[in-house]
Amino acid sequence: MKSYDFIAIGGGSAGFNAARVAVALGLRTAIIDGARELGGLCILRGCMPSKTLLYSAEVLHLAQKGAIFGLKTRGQVDMKAVHARKLKIIGEFAEYRLKALESGKFDLIRSHARFVGPHTVELSTGERIRSRHFLIGTGSKVSTPAVPGLREAPFWTSDDILDLDFVPKSVIVLGGGIVACELAQFLNRIGSRVTQVQRSSHILRDHSPEAAVVVEQALRDEGIELFTATQLQQVKHAAGRGFTIEFMHEGKVVRRQAERLFNALGREPNVAGLDLGAAGVAARPNGQIITDQWQQTSQPHIYAAGDCAGPVEIVHIAIQQGELAARHAAGVGDLKPVDYSLLLNVVFTDPQLATIGRSERELEQERTPFLKASYPFNDHGKSILMDANYGHVKVLAAPKSGRLLGAEIVGKDAGELIHSFSGPLAMRATVFDLLRAPWYHPTLAEIITYPLEEIADTIGAAPVKVAPKRRRRHPGRRA
């Protein structure tokens, strides 16, 4: 029976990076992955293909609104060409990851695995392998809630949307999470008639209602029929006639029909085939593996990271968790847990929605005092000339010191702008520290200074000189 020091089950972002670190620390390491294609969710069916398509749709959207900028343009989509470009880009990423997996630095075992004991897994070939340590990084899969008719219906998942080479006539999107909103907007922009149905009172329910409302308005303005605060009753499918859904909305039964149905009602940990019970690994009712601050499970020699462990499904967090687990397994001293107070999140709708650090909701629940200030994009020179008027920048800071606690940006290029806070938050900087820095005019980034100045003025006696207020060009707008 083969034996290793460290085995990563799953070769995605968590498993691959855990194995890379484990090898560097001198552990005899293997990755077990039986997927048809190697590379993990992010590269193959997540981040990279979705953002490739979303950017194509954004360029199309800008071309179609060229008249606003005094341009005569005619934006039309060629889905076969869009699809081919996506395949080329993703193929390059996947090829690079495959070379890294097959580099020989660790063993790559192309098989599925299930636990038969705390230190032993059985492969789908029947072979058994032992290891002193395991890292479970098997990711997540699409979940199918118990809605009458849904499980039996031939619905699409995000995998199907990301593999389209044609424009569907009409699509019903079930769900209001990140994937649902990003791909609903994509479908609408390429020319599908889109109806989106969300259960909670707002889409993007893990974000603030103020930010969610901005994205909701943008989706509706572009033509998506968006329903929130609904209760899904039934899904019906008839060959040749598409899908019909029934749901409660504002006390009435509403019916909608479409050619296709996109199930975007969430994902769940992909752990069903692992037989966690045989290893003594505890999980929550939803299948999420329970871990401690070092990513250890209820079996200290077995670690879990990434989507199957949570608490969030974000690639850079999965990488941090996987690397931490490998270092802990190798006995590296003076480690620090993943710092979720610096959590960074981006939703790639248009406008984008990005957050970092603590949210208002979290601070209120913790009864932590804070100051907040916000400034709208529709009052900012650069965003106005770009016709990017949706959204705001919001800053949260400690009331006495002005130390940054968190930030929220919903607006043009929010996913890029939010990184203006990454370094300062990690360094425990204050609003005064950020105001020492130069901010070029006119830029989108300059909008960040306005809520910073408001908080600095509120605190009053500043420990450093604060940049003076910019003069308004005319009431309600600053240049």
Side-chain angles (χ1 to χ4, degrees), residues 50-376:
S50 67
K51 277 51 184 180
T52 301
L53 297 181
L54 291 175
Y55 191 72
S56 291
E58 182 179 355
V59 174
L60 173 64
H61 179 68
L62 288 172
Q64 291 172 338
K65 60 187 283 189
I68 291 175
F69 304 101
L71 307 174
K72 293 183 178 180
T73 59
R74 186 180 178 187
Q76 291 181 307
V77 66
D78 179 347
M79 276 305 295
K80 291 192 181 301
V82 170
H83 179 63
R85 179 176 184 267
K86 183 216 71 173
L87 290 178
K88 180 178 182 297
I89 291 173
I90 300 315
E92 292 170 353
F93 281 106
E95 182 181 5
Y96 181 82
R97 174 59 60 86
L98 183 60
K99 286 181 180 179
L101 287 166
E102 294 178 339
S103 65
K105 295 179 180 180
F106 42 74
D107 289 349
L108 176 62
I109 302 170
R110 300 290 281 112
S111 183
H112 295 286
R114 69 177 183 90
F115 286 100
V116 293
H119 285 276
T120 308
V121 294
E122 183 176 271
L123 305 179
S124 47
T125 60
E127 181 185 0
R128 294 192 173 190
I129 299 177
R130 288 183 57 83
S131 183
R132 289 197 301 120
H133 302 280
F134 288 95
L135 182 282
I136 302 171
T138 49
S140 62
K141 61 181 181 179
V142 173
S143 61
T144 307
V147 175
L150 179 59
R151 195 171 296 276
E152 296 76 29
F155 57 75
W156 276 349
T157 69
S158 56
D159 292 357
D160 300 295
I161 304 296
L162 297 177
D163 206 35
L164 283 177
D165 62 356
F166 68 96
V167 178
K169 292 180 181 179
S170 56
V171 183
I172 294 171
V173 179
L174 300 181
I178 294 174
V179 172
C181 292
E182 290 180 352
L183 295 185
Q185 189 174 43
F186 165 73
L187 289 166
N188 182 71
R189 284 184 167 185
I190 63 173
S192 298
R193 176 172 58 83
V194 176
T195 300
Q196 185 175 0
V197 181
Q198 162 70 342
R199 291 170 290 186
S200 59
S201 58
H202 291 290
I203 61 172
L204 304 170
R205 63 182 182 182
D206 292 332
H207 294 79
S208 75
E210 295 86 355
V213 166
V214 173
V215 180
E216 288 172 6
Q217 187 62 53
L219 297 182
R220 290 186 171 117
D221 287 349
E222 289 189 19
I224 292 176
E225 186 181 29
L226 173 61
F227 293 90
T228 58
T230 69
Q231 185 178 356
L232 195 55
Q233 302 286 304
Q234 186 172 244
V235 171
K236 295 180 181 179
H237 174 256
R241 290 188 292 174
F243 297 83
T244 301
I245 65 166
E246 294 182 1
F247 56 93
M248 295 295 298
H249 179 64
E250 296 180 348
K252 298 179 182 178
V253 175
V254 180
R255 294 178 180 85
R256 287 294 184 270
Q257 291 181 308
E259 179 186 61
R260 305 286 182 172
L261 179 70
F262 172 25
N263 172 18
L265 291 171
R267 300 182 70 87
E268 61 187 37
N270 186 25
V271 297
L274 292 175
D275 197 353
L276 297 177
V281 173
R284 296 182 176 86
N286 67 353
Q288 190 179 74
I289 299 173
I290 300 171
T291 60
D292 67 6
Q293 61 180 342
W294 310 116
Q295 304 305 130
Q296 290 174 292
T297 69
S298 52
Q299 289 280 17
H301 69 284
I302 300 177
Y303 299 79
D307 291 4
C308 66
V312 291
E313 299 176 2
I314 298 176
V315 170
H316 75 272
I317 295 295
I319 294 171
Q320 287 180 280
Q321 291 174 338
E323 293 178 346
L324 173 64
R327 293 188 178 101
H328 192 268
V332 174
D334 197 28
L335 294 175
K336 293 182 179 180
V338 176
D339 186 357
Y340 295 105
S341 70
L342 297 176
L343 187 62
L344 177 64
N345 198 352
V346 179
V347 181
F348 288 90
T349 48
D350 180 11
Q352 295 177 3
L353 197 174
T355 59
I356 189 170
R358 314 302 286 171
S359 68
E360 282 186 75
R361 183 186 308 165
E362 290 170 331
L363 293 171
E364 288 168 352
Q365 289 173 346
E366 297 165 2
R367 296 186 177 180
T368 299
F370 64 94
L371 294 174
K372 72 173 179 178
S374 64
Y375 199 84

